[in-house]
Amino acid sequence: MIDQLKQIDRIYDLMALCGAYILCELKKKTYEFALFEDDDYDCVYDAIERYCCEVQEKGRRIAFEELKDYILSYMTPEVTIEKCFAVVKYIDELVEIEIQGKLLGARHIIKYCALNEQYTDNIRIIPKMKRTFLERGDIQFKSIYNSQYSLFRDRRECACSILDEEMLNYMVWDREHINKYPMWIYRFDEKSIVFKHFYERKEIIFGIVPFTSRPLKEILDIKYEDKVFYVEQMNEEAENDLRERYREICNKCEQEDIDFLIIPEMLMTGTIISAIRNKEKVSSPQFIINGSIWKDFMNKSIITDGRGEEIFSYNKKEPYRAKKGGIEYKEYLEQDKNREYSIMEIDGVGRIGVGICKDILNEDVKLFHKYVGTDILIVPACTKSMDLLAAAEGMSKEYNCVVAVANTCAALHESDKENTRKRIGFITLPAKCDTDRAQITVNYYQDGCMKECSNRCIGKKFIIDFYNIKEYKEGISYEVTEMTF
């Protein structure tokens, strides 16, 4: 380890090196972190505190070289778990989070998978989100109601390594979790339009659009073979119709102040998305979650800005199962092409993830969002049943995650014909009932919108005001206002 220590030149690589040593040693023997005595390692605390001060005076490079010289002498002649834990613990407590990564063009988006550059196959240091809309709302709640108690119970802890359980400001992912959940984070920096839009914003607005009520068999050329199904293509006439409808919806949104516009699953193509490209500056929506495109045995959602420019994409993980002629067919998804996860990160809002339909029922997918601390999970869907609700409510209740689901009327065309009030979307929010965890659900039902469907698709806006609270029958939570557009 001493030779490796000589080769590093960044604080997060030091944290990663010491963390990797600890994780490796814990495979050989146990160590009880609760027995760690801070007083025995004041010298390490002082050295890292001095580094934080000298970064401002001498610059990062010189400050780190001085810290490294101290750590080298400190680790000699014997490296121990306790010494390494002191380094990791005090970097976690003292070093202010600084995110560096690949800057994607002029939109000021930083793409990164870890703060450390070395040892990323074995350990990844990822910042915890501290300034989220949940925390901002909680501060407002405590101020208005002069309360020492939080609005919600703390989210359940879901550690992504043994060492991670001991951290306050950083996550520590181990090799097992790194391999299982390959991930990229897309962070909007302080110069971005998105950051400026959300910085002092007191509400988050979702726009859910059912998009079309035409039967799927009129829209998609679906093939059924050997108990699997796949989409060969979208019918040209349907594609042209949806392209115009998509353009109309996006134009309508320009006056609606929508943050996240959600289009249902399976109803998109590159041609449809291109209908809004090359627009001038667009203020709304900030993001479009473009349902999904089924192509080349991948079911992919492309997330764009309001001008149709791609930010990132996400491939569906959990295949849909459909019955035809009494036989169950499974959606054919190329497993080796859809392992990667993507997360958006906005200071003042939190971490925003995307799942597609049945993904929210997949335990691995849900675990990923628990590990990474997803604050908002957006789910485009295309399903006859709405069995997604229980999973969404569980995420909100246990992990304080707001879940927004957008279904399409096309999927409901032949289901439950007697029910004239079918649910085509919903959001779930965390809540608290006395001291118990709870959640609330606000539904979007297919009723009056059907009268206009042939001419245009009426969307529903859900406005979550996280500076105001409301008492629901299920408990207390943020105030939600509904509007059509």
Side-chain angles (χ1 to χ4, degrees):
M1 178 175 166
I2 297 298
D3 289 339
Q4 291 173 295
L5 182 57
K6 292 176 181 178
Q7 302 303 315
I8 63 176
D9 57 8
R10 297 178 72 249
I11 191 72
Y12 293 125
D13 289 333
L14 172 61
M15 187 180 189
L17 176 60
C18 291
Y21 177 87
I22 294 169
L23 293 176
C24 182
E25 289 298 301
L26 290 178
K27 293 177 182 178
K28 308 172 189 175
K29 58 183 177 180
T30 59
Y31 176 74
E32 180 53 66
F33 290 104
L35 299 178
F36 180 83
E37 291 288 347
D38 283 274
D39 292 346
D40 294 341
Y41 300 92
D42 284 344
C43 56
V44 180
Y45 184 97
D46 293 342
I48 294 173
E49 186 176 45
R50 186 164 55 251
Y51 161 82
C52 295
C53 295
E54 291 184 345
V55 162
Q56 306 299 323
E57 299 175 7
K58 301 180 179 180
R60 200 166 304 280
R61 185 180 63 81
I62 294 175
F64 184 79
E65 286 301 318
E66 293 179 356
L67 173 64
K68 185 168 73 172
D69 288 344
Y70 171 79
I71 298 297
L72 279 167
S73 62
Y74 171 73
M75 292 291 182
T76 306
E78 181 185 12
V79 180
T80 66
I81 289 179
E82 290 86 354
K83 287 181 179 181
C84 287
F85 182 62
V87 173
V88 172
K89 176 180 170 66
Y90 299 137
I91 290 177
D92 175 66
E93 290 182 12
L94 296 172
V95 175
E96 185 175 346
I97 292 171
E98 181 178 343
I99 297 173
Q100 294 181 337
K102 181 181 178 182
L103 190 62
L104 302 180
R107 289 183 293 176
H108 297 283
I109 303 172
I110 299 171
K111 179 182 178 182
Y112 74 101
C113 64
L115 299 181
N116 54 302
E117 293 182 352
Q118 299 186 51
Y119 321 115
T120 53
D121 289 342
N122 296 317
I123 188 168
R124 292 189 182 178
I125 311 300
I126 297 173
K128 294 184 180 181
M129 288 294 288
K130 290 297 182 180
R131 191 173 175 272
T132 69
F133 75 94
L134 289 167
E135 293 185 359
R136 290 168 58 198
D138 197 48
I139 291 170
Q140 185 76 1
F141 169 77
K142 289 178 178 177
S143 173
I144 291 175
Y145 293 91
N146 193 28
S147 173
Q148 61 178 315
Y149 300 106
S150 295
L151 174 58
F152 305 130
R153 299 289 303 275
D154 290 341
R155 66 170 31 152
R156 299 281 190 197
E157 290 296 323
C158 199
C160 40
S161 72
I162 298 174
L163 189 55
D164 184 65
E165 297 176 11
E166 310 301 320
M167 299 294 102
L168 296 173
N169 298 305
Y170 296 90
M171 297 177 178
V172 179
W173 288 58
D174 61 19
R175 179 193 284 269
E176 177 186 352
H177 291 83
I178 292 167
N179 290 338
K180 192 168 186 177
Y181 302 107
M183 168 182 59
W184 287 104
I185 299 175
Y186 297 80
R187 180 179 178 83
F188 291 82
D189 74 13
E190 294 182 1
K191 295 180 181 179
S192 70
I193 294 173
V194 168
F195 174 85
K196 294 171 183 175
H197 170 82
F198 283 106
Y199 185 69
E200 296 295 337
R201 194 164 173 82
K202 300 177 182 178
E203 58 190 22
I204 294 175
I205 304 177
F206 297 95
I208 291 179
V209 178
F211 206 29
T212 182
S213 64
R214 293 179 62 174
L216 288 176
K217 62 185 178 182
E218 294 181 7
I219 300 172
L220 301 171
D221 184 8
I222 303 175
K223 303 296 185 184
Y224 296 86
E225 298 175 2
D226 299 326
K227 293 190 177 182
V228 298
F229 75 88
Y230 60 92
V231 178
E232 190 162 83
Q233 62 184 2
M234 181 178 286
N235 299 329
E236 185 176 355
E237 182 271 333
E239 183 178 47
N240 292 335
D241 176 62
L242 292 178
R243 188 173 190 269
E244 291 308 308
R245 182 163 286 215
Y246 180 72
R247 190 206 310 271
E248 178 185 322
I249 289 166
C250 292
N251 288 340
K252 176 68 174 173
C253 285
E254 290 185 26
Q255 308 303 321
E256 296 294 335
D257 195 26
I258 290 173
D259 298 315
F260 302 97
L261 175 64
I262 314 170
I263 309 293
E265 178 194 14
M266 293 181 74
L267 298 175
M268 300 302 294
T269 66
T271 298
I272 294 173
I273 295 174
S274 69
I276 62 167
R277 290 215 178 109
N278 303 318
K279 274 190 173 187
E280 296 297 324
K281 183 179 178 181
V282 175
S283 59
S284 174
Q286 292 295 313
F287 301 102
I288 305 175
I289 291 75
N290 286 288
S292 69
I293 298 171
W294 216 108
K295 185 178 180 181
D296 298 331
F297 305 108
M298 290 186 292
N299 190 336
K300 179 168 68 174
S301 181
I302 296 176
I303 290 73
T304 70
D305 60 19
R307 297 170 60 246
E309 296 296 328
E310 181 175 342
I311 299 169
F312 70 90
S313 63
Y314 168 83
N315 289 328
K316 186 177 183 180
K317 307 291 184 288
E318 178 67 20
Y320 187 82
R321 287 167 172 79
K323 282 191 175 181
K324 182 178 175 64
I327 300 174
E328 183 176 87
Y329 293 85
K330 178 177 156 183
E331 184 179 10
Y332 182 23
L333 301 175
E334 287 280 7
Q335 295 302 314
D336 60 338
K337 296 180 181 178
N338 67 351
R339 295 186 63 247
E340 196 170 274
Y341 291 81
S342 298
I343 288 288
M344 279 196 300
E345 198 171 82
I346 305 170
D347 191 30
V349 179
R351 289 195 167 121
I352 301 106
V354 174
I356 300 176
C357 199
K358 300 296 183 178
D359 280 352
I360 197 173
L361 303 179
N362 181 297
E363 291 303 318
D364 282 338
V365 173
K366 287 191 289 185
L367 270 174
F368 167 77
H369 291 291
K370 293 171 186 178
Y371 287 134
V372 82
T374 299
D375 299 289
I376 297 174
L377 180 58
I378 299 175
V379 184
C382 180
T383 178
K384 292 181 181 181
S385 65
M386 288 302 284
D387 55 350
L388 315 181
L389 180 60
E393 288 180 334
M395 290 292 292
S396 291
K397 181 178 180 179
E398 302 295 331
Y399 293 92
N400 293 358
C401 180
V402 172
V403 183
V405 175
N407 197 23
T408 174
C409 297
L412 305 178
H413 186 73
E414 298 176 352
S415 66
D416 195 12
K417 293 183 179 179
E418 299 301 317
N419 185 359
T420 58
R421 205 160 186 259
K422 302 168 186 174
R423 184 171 52 213
I424 46 178
F426 62 84
I427 62 169
T428 62
L429 292 85
K432 187 167 70 174
C433 184
D434 295 327
T435 59
D436 292 336
R437 299 176 188 273
Q439 83 289 321
I440 66 160
T441 301
V442 186
N443 293 301
Y444 176 21
Y445 288 106
Q446 179 195 74
D447 42 33
C449 66
M450 293 302 294
K451 297 176 182 178
E452 297 288 334
C453 187
S454 60
N455 298 316
R456 68 187 185 97
C457 183
I458 296 177
K460 178 66 72 76
K461 287 169 62 174
F462 293 99
I463 304 167
I464 302 176
D465 184 344
F466 54 91
Y467 272 40
N468 283 302
I469 64 166
K470 179 178 177 180
E471 290 191 19
Y472 301 83
K473 63 179 181 179
E474 299 88 350
I476 187 172
S477 187
Y478 297 131
E479 183 177 70
V480 180
T481 304
E482 302 173 59
M483 295 180 182
T484 58
F485 67 95

